[in-house]
Amino acid sequence: MALLYPTWCRNFFAGLLECGAHSEQAALFSGICICAMITAALWIAIWIFAFAITHDHNATLNTMLWVFETFVPAIGRI
């Protein structure tokens, strides 16, 4: 889910990639932007995970148990 960006952002970078075939500057800029998007997505996911673990252990564990308990009936039906 961290790699889901708004449509306008994806279309902008897709346009840069198309222009990259004709311009070295656009190709370089699109490559840098795509690397920044992937890096940001990974680091944001890591920060959220680290915050959830270090913030409140009791609330995190209760939430994880609740999530797993909601999936147990679905798994049993399969």
Side-chain angles (χ1 to χ4, degrees):
M1 288 183 64
L3 292 174
L4 295 176
Y5 286 94
T7 304
W8 63 268
C9 184
R10 292 190 308 247
N11 290 339
F12 174 73
F13 293 122
L16 278 177
L17 283 172
E18 289 177 13
C19 293
H22 306 292
S23 168
E24 289 182 22
Q25 198 171 28
L28 176 66
F29 184 64
S30 65
I32 290 171
C33 289
I34 289 172
C35 288
M37 288 171 57
I38 293 170
T39 303
L42 292 174
W43 277 108
I44 288 170
I46 290 169
W47 288 333
I48 290 172
F49 187 69
F51 177 76
I53 289 175
T54 60
H55 180 63
D56 185 5
H57 295 293
N58 193 26
T60 304
L61 291 175
N62 285 336
T63 304
M64 288 174 57
L65 284 173
W66 177 78
V67 167
F68 288 129
E69 285 175 356
T70 56
F71 286 112
V72 167
I75 293 170
R77 281 184 237 140
I78 294 178

